[in-house]
Amino acid sequence: MCVDFTDLNKAYLKGSYPLPKIDKLVDATTGHALLSFMDAFSRYHQTPLCHKDEEKTMFVTNRGLHCYKVMPFGLKNTGATYQGLVNKLFESLIRQTMEVILDDMIVKSMLDIEHRQDLRKMFDIIRTFGMKFNPKKCLFGVRSGKFLGFMVNSRRI
């Protein structure tokens, strides 16, 4: 289903939360022995709306008026809002053992024996906030893989 949020988007200022620079994220993956790649499932639809903002997303069907309880696709600031959310959730791990841009995430470990513990920290956060991954797009404990369109491994991009 598609809802036209043109008028609502006109009423709001563009969000100023910056997306991370892709080249810095990709560069930060080199030199790590093991990598795990995750993709958040339906990223925006995992983000609850403030109760007072739900009515702003109202739409009409032949069964009556409805509104979103989670962030719908098509709102002006969904990308900036979602990036701010994941940065806050994974704040203690970003640039240490994890990199995140929107729904693409990577856990990176310098030593093989650290990777299980690094993943556990990330999964503890995921469980706490009820975030879901798309299992078809996840790859765990590998030496190389594709991140943001680049093949990365311990030695090079």
Side-chain angles (χ1 to χ4, degrees):
M1 180 176 79
C2 182
V3 178
D4 183 3
F5 291 116
T6 302
D7 292 337
L8 182 59
N9 285 336
K10 285 179 187 176
Y12 282 89
L13 296 174
K14 182 155 175 61
S16 60
Y17 200 93
L19 291 177
K21 295 186 184 245
I22 291 174
D23 58 333
K24 298 229 185 263
L25 292 177
V26 173
D27 287 347
T29 64
T30 59
H32 293 83
L34 283 181
L35 306 166
S36 288
F37 303 87
M38 287 77 55
D39 184 87
F41 185 76
S42 298
R43 60 181 165 194
Y44 304 141
H45 298 300
Q46 293 191 57
T47 309
L49 287 176
C50 293
H51 185 66
K52 65 181 179 61
D53 290 334
E54 289 176 8
E55 71 179 40
K56 295 172 185 167
T57 66
M58 195 173 295
F59 57 94
V60 179
T61 71
N62 59 358
R63 293 186 172 197
L65 297 174
H66 302 278
C67 57
Y68 282 91
K69 294 185 180 289
V70 295
M71 192 167 31
F73 180 78
L75 290 179
K76 180 188 280 185
N77 293 319
T78 54
T81 301
Y82 188 80
Q83 186 66 48
L85 173 71
V86 292
N87 280 5
K88 187 171 181 125
L89 291 180
F90 300 110
E91 183 176 25
S92 63
L93 304 179
I94 290 176
R95 286 180 291 289
Q96 305 299 318
T97 60
M98 192 170 182
E99 302 298 337
V100 179
I101 183 167
L102 297 172
D103 60 342
D104 290 315
M105 303 171 196
I106 186 169
V107 171
K108 55 190 186 170
S109 304
M110 289 291 200
L111 303 172
D112 291 3
I113 60 173
E114 296 173 344
H115 199 63
R116 181 183 236 159
Q117 184 178 18
D118 293 338
L119 281 171
R120 179 160 292 152
K121 290 175 189 175
M122 184 267 309
F123 276 119
D124 287 345
I125 293 168
I126 294 296
R127 277 189 213 97
T128 299
F129 293 97
M131 188 178 235
K132 308 282 188 242
F133 288 144
N134 182 348
K136 292 179 182 176
K137 294 184 177 181
C138 294
L139 189 60
F140 296 98
V142 296
R143 302 219 179 270
S144 67
K146 200 169 191 178
F147 184 55
L148 304 174
F150 295 90
M151 285 302 294
V152 296
N153 64 39
S154 63
R155 291 182 296 216
R156 64 182 182 272
I157 300 167

